[in-house]
Amino acid sequence: MAKGNHKRGRGKPQTHSLLEHYQPIDGVVDEMVDTSGNPRPAWKHFVEALEELGAEKLGQRFARADQYLRDAGVYYRVYDKAGANEREWPLAHVPVLIEESEWAAISAGLVQRAELFEETIADIYGPNRLVEKGILPAGLIAASPEYLRPVVGTKPAGGHFLHFCAFELGRGPDGQWWVLGDRTQAPSGAGFALENRVATTRALSDIYGEMHVHRLAGFFRRFRDALIGMAKETDGRVAILTPGPLNETYYEHAYIARYLGIMLLEGEDLTVSGGRLMVRTVSGLMPISVLWRRLDAAFADPLELRPDSQIGTPGLVEAIRQGAVATVNALGSGLMETRALLAFLPKISRALRGDELLLPSVATWWCGQATERAHVLANIDRMVIGPALSTRLAFEDDDSTKLGSALSAGERAELVARIERDGGDFVGQEAVTLSTTPVYVGGWLEPRPASLRVYLARTPEGWTVMPGGFARIGLSLDPTAIAMQRGGQAADVWVVSDKPVERETLLPQEGDSFSRTRPGSLPSRAAENLTWLGRYIERSEDTVRILRAYHVRLAETSDPDMPLLADIRDYLEPFGIDVETAIPSGLIGTLDSAVYSAGQIRDRFSPDGWLALKDLSKTIHQFATTVAPGDDATRAMTVILRKLAGFSGLLHENMYRFAGWRFLEIGRRLERGIQISRTLSRLTSAKAPDGALDMMLEIGDSVMTHRRQYPVQAGRRTVIDLLALDPLNPRSILFQLERLKAEIGLLPSLGGEGQMSPAAKEILQLNTQIAIKEPSDMTAKALDELAHEIGGLYNSLAKAYFG
């Protein structure tokens, strides 16, 4: 191949060409270079620009992309023998480039396929003429777990079964694009495509700006507008239904919800009332009329589908039957992912549309038919044999799919016997030889097999195709190593034009009408998690302040058993805080709980807020193995306090003042009131050891304030006055009660206009009682009872808003 002779014309010559060791594979199409080893037209400028940068700068730029993904917290979940683990998003830094004209041909073929699937699903769940005419085998359809009998005969609200599809494409040795598999159940990856684009352009912004790359935002804007338009027709809301944080692509669910401004819900957030699908919010039940589901249909309703599902919503199928809610996609549409159906698509296309497929499927034979079975057995050495009803791609399956040429004589004989006995359980597919695309490895470009995942969305104007966005790249030349669960990578896909392209964004255009989201649409589960996030963060801060005060004194004394330190150890022990360890496991557990609560509401969290929280968690876990008690622990606690304050300040200053912020604030104030009451009770009691009052002022961050407010040495009455009864001290109990009264009073009223909620009545009564107290009234017993009463406010809130 040609080496080092590409025109760059942009800078000084490099010491070596990135293509110097690039060796395309014989008999395999390479996306970047032609058979002579020269860059194809779409790649020529791109390769020259990379070579101008050189290996050192490229390494720095790609590291910048990786850092962005880490900062944004982009991950996917891997399930293996070790269990479920979160892994950083594996970005392949070099995008796949496709010319605009070629993409137009791909798009046309996929739009045709999406329309064919729409008509096929409508027939299977409707008149069933394809089965009646013998075009589709009845037994194949009936045996599929994706064929959902409870929705047979149900016409979807809005008239369409499919609204969002994805198709997996591979280019064969002849240069033709083939469809390897279809995604009509709940296609994943669109959000990751956006993150691929952001990360890649962070690294290659100058090159991206020069190459007329089609933007992705317009695709999402058109689909979002289509969903909102569907919802307005029935006076409802749009929501994304997720299986929850344990799902392998939950990050993407939260990202898409935040990006599009759509509620992210779990099955428990929903209920069916009066025939309508409703979401439980802090303002009561509110209708959902468009549900973009990201869980498999079988789990959607435990009443009529899988009874063991704990992530569905009872009654959802009946609401769909009544036309009260449109689902994206319709329940049962996952049937089109069945691997064996690929064998029948050409005939279906001719029967329903009179067309040949513009984009053919990978050659597939269903072994439930004698002629096809004989063909597979006669050619088994060049076949991939897998389960007929699988909805996974051949290279995604693990033990269930076999490459005929890789079988031993015994394995081959056993498989042949099984096919002859139970042919309907198997399909044979042509072994896939994928094209290769460059990846950056150690300063050089190397070829790796690749497949494209292309997304289509239905709009009022018809299907729209995402212009690029997502490719799966192998870590080796083995095509089975493309699957993400098996170590594959993801790359951006650039559809490049020879002329400037429209700079589309998600922002409204000048003159577009708009309306604010109606207040009070905060789901109850989100409100509960926000409240607990506030509580856990405040509990962590209180614990850190006590531990810092403890270790300051431990570092100053040679007697760790001095009465004050012993008293603090006894005080903290019931709360699971062992001060013998510099960073107690109880403190780590509290902060981990905060991260968990935040993880339940990722769609409502800003990337900066999430980054700050994860940085805090990382810091405290690192300190757990490196910090020693005493002065070392004191410095560590100061660092943790600073990061806690940074996180809290970030939320306080940047979070929109709606119901979510109120519940977060209520959680913080509840916990601070409880903790200050408890600690005051202990350190101002008659039995408190010497130095307890000074420690209390330090824990309450009020040493300087006390000196200014009281021209006397700290005494029990002045400390209680400042930390319990001063309405201007942000650390005092009364201050917390005042804030609670204000925020609870602004929560949505569930008892009718003008009626106070039980929680509002309780806080008003409690606030009034404390406001008229004198320091002498605040005995240790009274403070303990006050902590208990403040804690009781949570129960009233939970009963009203979280049930």
Side-chain angles (χ1 to χ4, degrees):
M1 63 177 287
K3 300 178 181 179
N5 59 349
H6 311 294
K7 292 183 179 180
R8 291 185 293 271
R10 293 171 45 133
K12 297 180 180 179
Q14 302 299 305
T15 57
H16 71 265
S17 167
L18 291 171
L19 300 182
E20 190 170 336
H21 298 292
Y22 198 83
Q23 296 291 337
I25 303 168
D26 290 340
V28 175
V29 172
D30 189 88
E31 297 297 329
M32 181 178 67
V33 298
D34 59 24
T35 54
S36 300
N38 295 311
R40 299 180 188 277
W43 287 85
K44 188 174 185 297
H45 175 79
F46 181 81
V47 172
E48 291 174 349
L50 291 186
E51 292 199 322
E52 181 183 337
L53 288 171
E56 183 177 354
K57 285 186 178 179
L58 273 181
Q60 293 171 353
R61 288 190 175 210
F62 293 154
R64 187 188 308 163
D66 292 336
Q67 186 62 51
Y68 162 76
L69 293 170
R70 284 192 294 270
D71 289 348
V74 184
Y75 75 92
Y76 72 109
R77 196 177 299 277
V78 173
Y79 298 94
D80 52 28
K81 294 180 180 179
N85 301 290
E86 290 183 8
R87 293 189 182 174
E88 293 181 356
W89 185 245
L91 179 69
H93 303 98
V94 178
V96 179
L97 273 57
I98 298 180
E99 291 184 355
E100 185 180 51
S101 58
E102 185 173 23
W103 192 259
I106 290 173
S107 299
L110 294 183
V111 167
Q112 178 205 45
R113 194 177 187 91
E115 290 289 1
L116 175 63
F117 280 18
E118 173 70 33
E119 294 183 32
T120 304
I121 297 171
D123 177 78
I124 290 173
Y125 286 100
N128 224 356
R129 293 192 182 94
L130 291 171
V131 170
E132 180 184 335
K133 294 178 180 179
I135 297 171
L136 272 176
L140 178 63
I141 300 300
S144 173
E146 299 300 334
Y147 178 63
L148 304 182
R149 288 174 177 81
V151 296
V152 171
T154 300
K155 294 184 178 180
H160 297 293
F161 288 85
L162 296 179
H163 301 83
F164 194 85
C165 306
F167 300 97
E168 200 83 21
L169 306 183
R171 194 200 294 271
D174 61 353
Q176 168 74 47
W177 287 102
W178 296 77
V179 179
L180 307 177
D182 308 290
R183 292 288 175 257
T184 55
Q185 172 77 266
S188 64
F192 290 124
L194 281 168
E195 289 288 34
N196 288 344
R197 177 59 54 88
V198 174
T200 303
T201 53
R202 288 283 180 98
L204 304 173
S205 58
D206 48 350
I207 303 174
Y208 177 80
E210 295 172 350
M211 292 196 62
H212 308 316
V213 181
H214 283 267
R215 309 299 176 104
L216 304 183
F219 171 83
F220 289 97
R221 188 188 72 247
R222 287 185 283 274
F223 186 50
R224 179 200 62 187
D225 293 347
L227 294 177
I228 293 173
M230 290 167 61
K232 285 181 178 178
E233 294 174 3
T234 51
D235 191 31
R237 290 164 176 75
V238 181
I240 297 175
L241 178 62
T242 174
L246 294 181
N247 184 262
E248 63 185 20
T249 57
Y250 175 75
Y251 170 84
E252 184 213 358
H253 305 169
Y255 179 85
I256 285 287
R258 186 171 62 240
Y259 182 72
L260 299 183
I262 297 174
M263 279 193 294
L264 183 66
L265 304 177
E266 296 181 28
E268 65 182 276
D269 296 325
L270 296 165
T271 187
V272 176
S273 177
R276 293 205 68 177
L277 185 66
M278 313 291 280
V279 57
R280 298 181 176 92
T281 78
V282 296
S283 294
L285 298 179
M286 294 188 174
I288 296 290
S289 58
V290 179
L291 193 64
W292 184 0
R293 63 178 181 85
R294 298 302 303 272
L295 54 77
D296 289 351
F299 293 91
D301 185 346
L303 283 182
E304 299 201 49
L305 300 172
R306 284 190 57 156
D308 60 337
S309 172
Q310 298 182 20
I311 57 177
T313 302
L316 177 58
V317 169
E318 181 58 29
I320 291 172
R321 282 198 199 100
Q322 298 299 323
V325 60
T327 55
V328 178
N329 291 321
L331 299 185
S333 57
L335 178 66
M336 296 308 299
E337 297 185 2
T338 305
R339 197 182 296 179
L341 284 184
L342 292 173
F344 300 94
L345 286 182
K347 188 183 293 186
I348 293 173
S349 182
R350 289 191 291 270
L352 291 181
R353 301 177 59 83
D355 293 334
E356 296 295 333
L357 293 174
L358 297 176
L359 276 179
S361 307
V362 60
T364 303
W365 296 266
W366 179 51
C367 297
Q369 298 166 301
T371 302
E372 285 75 9
R373 180 168 60 251
H375 176 80
V376 169
L377 292 176
N379 297 276
I380 196 168
D381 287 337
R382 61 184 185 87
M383 293 275 184
V384 173
I385 310 297
L389 299 180
S390 174
T391 58
R392 297 170 66 85
L393 304 184
F395 60 71
E396 290 178 331
D397 268 338
D398 194 1
D399 298 329
S400 60
T401 297
K402 308 293 183 182
L403 180 62
S405 61
L407 296 174
S408 66
E411 291 170 333
R412 189 178 188 276
E414 180 184 354
L415 181 58
V416 168
R418 291 178 61 196
I419 294 174
E420 290 177 337
R421 183 180 66 249
D422 302 308
D425 293 342
F426 296 92
V427 291
Q429 292 184 293
E430 185 177 347
V432 176
T433 301
L434 297 173
S435 62
T436 56
T437 193
V439 297
Y440 187 76
V441 181
W444 307 93
L445 294 179
E446 296 182 4
R448 293 289 186 272
S451 69
L452 303 183
R453 181 171 290 183
V454 186
Y455 298 90
L456 279 72
R458 185 184 294 281
T459 71
E461 292 74 35
W463 290 100
T464 182
V465 181
M466 183 193 296
F470 196 96
R472 296 200 285 180
I473 314 294
L475 282 176
S476 68
L477 292 176
D478 177 7
T480 65
I482 286 179
M484 303 300 289
Q485 290 286 332
R486 303 173 73 178
Q489 296 177 292
D492 192 9
V493 177
W494 290 5
V495 176
V496 297
S497 175
D498 57 4
K499 56 184 179 298
V501 298
E502 185 178 354
R503 292 179 171 271
E504 296 187 281
T505 73
L506 217 62
L507 298 174
Q509 303 300 309
E510 189 67 32
D512 287 354
S513 61
F514 68 92
S515 60
R516 290 196 181 111
T517 301
R518 284 164 287 186
S521 58
L522 177 71
S524 297
R525 180 181 54 84
E528 184 175 16
N529 277 293
L530 283 163
T531 303
W532 276 105
L533 173 61
R535 293 194 65 171
Y536 286 133
I537 288 297
E538 195 61 40
R539 190 177 299 177
S540 298
E541 180 178 340
D542 178 77
T543 302
V544 169
R545 289 186 179 279
I546 295 175
L547 289 172
R548 184 173 68 169
Y550 175 89
H551 285 289
V552 164
R553 286 153 181 80
L554 181 64
E556 294 174 347
T557 180
S558 58
D559 181 15
D561 292 324
M562 65 179 290
L564 181 56
L565 297 184
D567 192 62
I568 291 298
R569 286 197 296 271
D570 292 342
Y571 171 64
L572 292 176
E573 185 179 4
F575 304 113
I577 306 298
D578 178 12
V579 296
E580 299 297 332
T581 304
I583 309 294
S585 59
L587 173 60
I588 296 174
T590 300
L591 197 55
D592 285 345
S593 294
V595 174
Y596 175 82
S597 292
Q600 302 295 306
I601 45 174
R602 281 292 298 272
D603 59 308
R604 297 179 178 274
F605 237 75
S606 73
D608 286 340
W610 181 255
L611 175 60
L613 185 57
K614 292 293 285 185
D615 178 60
L616 178 58
S617 176
K618 179 181 178 181
T619 298
I620 201 168
H621 279 86
Q622 287 177 339
F623 283 167
T625 59
T626 59
V627 171
D631 189 57
D632 200 21
T634 301
R635 289 194 295 271
M637 295 301 164
T638 300
V639 172
I640 295 170
L641 269 180
R642 188 169 64 245
K643 294 196 173 189
L644 276 165
F647 173 72
S648 296
L650 190 65
L651 295 186
H652 184 81
E653 291 300 320
N654 296 334
M655 197 168 176
Y656 188 75
R657 293 319 195 248
F658 77 126
W661 180 84
R662 298 197 194 288
F663 281 101
L664 180 70
E665 181 72 358
I666 286 169
R668 291 182 61 216
R669 299 304 173 183
L670 281 173
E671 195 65 31
R672 185 175 292 185
I674 293 169
Q675 298 299 334
I676 289 291
S677 298
R678 286 175 177 169
T679 313
L680 264 179
S681 172
R682 184 76 175 209
L683 295 182
T684 64
S685 71
K687 298 178 181 179
D690 290 343
L693 294 176
D694 288 333
M695 178 181 272
M696 185 66 240
L697 289 173
E698 189 177 322
I699 293 169
D701 198 20
S702 297
V703 173
M704 295 300 296
T705 304
H706 186 275
R707 290 175 184 170
R708 288 195 300 268
Q709 295 291 98
Y710 308 96
V712 294
Q713 187 175 358
R716 182 180 185 279
R717 289 197 305 164
T718 59
V719 171
I720 288 179
D721 185 58
L722 181 60
L723 288 174
L725 304 177
D726 191 332
L728 301 181
N729 183 4
R731 292 283 167 181
S732 77
I733 300 171
L734 184 56
F735 187 93
Q736 314 316 312
L737 298 179
E738 293 278 7
R739 294 302 307 149
L740 285 168
K741 182 181 71 172
E743 299 305 337
I744 292 174
L746 291 172
L747 292 179
S749 175
L750 301 178
E753 291 298 327
Q755 294 188 27
M756 295 180 68
S757 67
K761 292 177 182 178
E762 287 180 38
I763 185 58
L764 177 60
Q765 184 178 28
L766 189 56
N767 182 72
T768 303
Q769 289 175 355
I770 301 305
I772 62 175
K773 294 288 187 183
E774 296 292 334
S776 58
D777 299 324
M778 306 303 289
T779 63
K781 180 180 179 181
L783 287 164
D784 285 335
E785 290 175 350
L786 179 56
H788 179 75
E789 290 182 84
I790 296 173
L793 286 171
Y794 175 81
N795 297 328
S796 297
L797 287 166
K799 184 177 180 180
Y801 297 104
F802 307 155

